[in-house]
Amino acid sequence: MNPAARKIQSVYLTLTLGNTLAASFIWGINTLFLLDAGLSNLEAFAANAFFTAGMVVFEVPTGVVADGWGRRISFLLGTVTLAGSTYLYYLLWQLSAPFLWWAVVSVLLGLGFTFFSGAVEAWLVDALRFTGYEGGLETVLGRGQMVSGAAMLAGSVAGGVIAQATNLGVPFLIRVGVLLAMFVVAFLLMRDVGFTPERSAHPLKATRAVLDASIENGLKNPPVRYVMLAAPFSAGVGIYVFYALQPYLLQLFGDRHAYSVAGLAAAIVAGAQVLGGWLAPRIRRLVRKRTTVLILSGVVSASILVVLGFTNVFWVALALLTLWAMVDSAATPVRQAYVNDMIPSKQRATVLSFDSLMGSSGGVVVQPLLGRAADVYGYSASLAISGVIELIALPFLLASRRQGSLADQANASIAPSDAEPRQL
């Protein structure tokens, strides 16, 4: 890696560290926070569903900002929007507000995250290409996931401990402060390199153009399309499981107020992310096709969730959670590299945002359904059901594999910017 590419990687890792640290302060206690505000399981996961619905609604419009105004501007808007909506969440908790207001603010939280989704990853890939980096993306993205996991480990443990020492609202205030600090960091360090925004005087036309580009380079490109169609099932289940594990583990532990235990669950996921990010490029050296990694991880992940649904021992559940998170984390950089290798530079942020939209759309449906299952049958049964749902993604991954894209076997993930996705 040359010095210019190393500098780009350093900025990327810094942004990833700060963003994940800010977000993770509440990840270990978010469901407990909603339940403490007086919401039922159905309402708590419905609030999360409104969050993902916000991501679905705003992915394309914010794609206009990322590809039309710049990835740096998109990141800056994301920090401000997410900080403001997080503070509103804190106020709703203090006021024990009715569900309607939780739904509205959850949509605003989703808006904040859509400014990030696709933009940072697209910024990284284009900037690395501009510097002449020719290595595999799994290496850089794996390092990013390791940094993200370390930040999540620190933030989730701290959030749980702070909540237990003070109250469930304080971690939300800390998140606001870190996000505002990240605005300053990104303003000083982040520059759009290797990418020229194409601004439009007509936002509606620009939005339509972004949507058309997403469909043309995403859903109309068979190997990309099938990966996207798998996302609602795998991503939707992943979102639910992460948040359901908080009350589930507290239930197994036997103390509903041991918030540090909920933080421990998120910390284990974070540690698994670090290990998964380290494993990803090494697995790619052993496995010829990227889709092999994705398919095997899906089978193992779904199987673990089914077994987890029949577990009543706290420490066994923690061990299974660790294995589930590690398998999922090792596959994530491989999936990112696979998709990036099949899309052109000009629409990179757009297509990546559309991919995120597909995953979020699954969360909109899956979360309230599984939340209701938890109310009726218990958390254990809902986890087993989630494993069955995740298996639905496998036929789509197999269909993507059958397309024979060169990206499936690529070692270097950076292709010429003007190249169309190539197939065997």
Side-chain angles (χ1 to χ4, degrees):
M1 183 175 288
N2 61 56
R6 194 174 300 280
K7 181 178 179 181
I8 293 297
Q9 178 184 249
S10 297
V11 175
Y12 166 69
L13 296 180
T14 300
L15 296 177
T16 300
L17 174 67
N19 243 24
T20 308
L21 182 64
S24 62
F25 275 113
I26 73 163
W27 282 348
I29 59 162
N30 183 69
T31 305
L32 305 177
F33 176 82
L34 295 174
L35 295 175
D36 188 66
L39 302 182
S40 66
N41 276 316
L42 174 60
E43 289 173 329
F45 287 104
N48 287 340
F50 273 99
F51 161 71
T52 50
M55 295 187 70
V56 170
V57 171
F58 292 113
E59 280 288 5
V60 172
T62 54
V64 174
V65 175
D67 281 338
W69 290 86
R71 284 78 189 260
R72 176 175 180 261
I73 290 179
S74 184
F75 187 94
L76 294 175
L77 287 173
T79 57
V80 173
T81 305
L82 194 55
S85 52
T86 299
Y87 184 68
L88 289 177
Y89 238 45
Y90 171 79
L91 293 180
L92 294 181
W93 172 74
Q94 281 198 318
L95 298 172
S96 297
F99 174 74
L100 175 63
W101 290 109
W102 289 98
V104 172
V105 178
S106 294
V107 171
L108 294 178
L109 281 170
L111 169 62
F113 274 101
T114 58
F115 281 114
F116 298 133
S117 64
V120 179
E121 190 175 322
W123 175 84
L124 170 70
V125 174
D126 288 335
L128 285 177
R129 174 181 298 147
F130 181 79
T131 64
Y133 175 71
E134 296 180 354
L137 273 183
E138 281 96 341
T139 300
V140 182
L141 291 171
R143 289 170 183 163
Q145 185 167 287
M146 292 173 68
V147 169
S148 177
M152 182 179 172
L153 177 63
S156 56
V157 170
V161 172
I162 291 170
Q164 188 162 336
T166 55
N167 59 61
L168 286 167
V170 173
F172 284 77
L173 296 179
I174 296 175
R175 182 202 232 190
V176 173
V178 176
L179 283 169
L180 294 178
M182 285 309 301
F183 176 90
V184 177
V185 171
F187 184 83
L188 296 174
L189 298 181
M190 193 176 185
R191 296 289 183 272
D192 285 324
V193 180
F195 166 77
T196 302
E198 296 181 359
R199 301 190 180 188
S200 171
H202 304 284
L204 292 179
K205 289 184 178 180
T207 301
R208 176 61 184 273
V210 165
L211 182 59
D212 290 344
S214 299
I215 295 173
E216 185 66 31
N217 296 287
L219 292 179
K220 288 187 177 181
N221 184 5
V224 179
R225 174 173 68 239
Y226 290 120
V227 175
M228 287 185 172
L229 291 176
F233 305 102
S234 55
V237 164
I239 295 171
Y240 172 78
V241 171
F242 179 77
Y243 288 113
L245 284 172
Q246 300 165 21
Y248 169 67
L249 288 175
L250 285 184
Q251 185 180 78
L252 293 182
F253 188 72
D255 183 354
R256 298 181 63 183
H257 298 286
Y259 301 140
S260 58
V261 171
L264 175 64
I268 289 176
V269 174
Q273 281 193 350
V274 175
L275 182 57
W278 179 81
L279 283 173
R282 288 158 178 81
I283 291 174
R284 278 292 289 130
R285 296 191 191 109
L286 301 174
V287 181
R288 187 168 61 94
K289 290 190 175 184
R290 286 165 169 160
T291 50
T292 300
V293 178
L294 302 183
I295 292 167
L296 289 178
S297 69
V299 172
V300 175
S301 176
S303 301
I304 292 171
L305 290 177
V306 172
V307 174
L308 193 62
F310 293 93
T311 300
N312 294 315
V313 180
F314 175 77
W315 295 109
V316 173
L318 276 184
L320 289 172
L321 165 63
T322 303
L323 183 58
W324 170 78
M326 187 176 66
V327 169
D328 188 64
S329 297
T332 298
V334 178
R335 184 187 186 278
Q336 289 174 303
Y338 181 43
V339 173
N340 269 285
D341 220 16
M342 295 187 291
I343 54 180
S345 174
K346 285 187 177 181
Q347 288 81 35
R348 191 178 305 281
T350 296
V351 177
L352 292 177
S353 292
F354 196 78
D355 180 40
S356 177
L357 181 153
M358 294 293 289
S360 298
S361 66
V364 172
V365 178
V366 169
Q367 287 187 92
L369 287 178
L370 291 175
R372 179 58 179 166
D375 277 333
V376 177
Y377 305 111
Y379 289 112
S380 297
S382 71
L383 291 174
I385 294 170
S386 68
V388 175
I389 293 174
E390 186 170 1
L391 288 174
I392 301 175
L394 296 181
F396 296 107
L397 295 175
L398 287 167
S400 179
R401 179 189 181 89
R402 285 194 294 269
Q403 302 308 307
S405 171
L406 287 183
D408 200 5
Q409 302 183 56
N411 290 319
S413 301
I414 299 178
S417 61
D418 57 349
E420 293 297 324
R422 298 169 296 175
Q423 298 181 6
L424 288 174

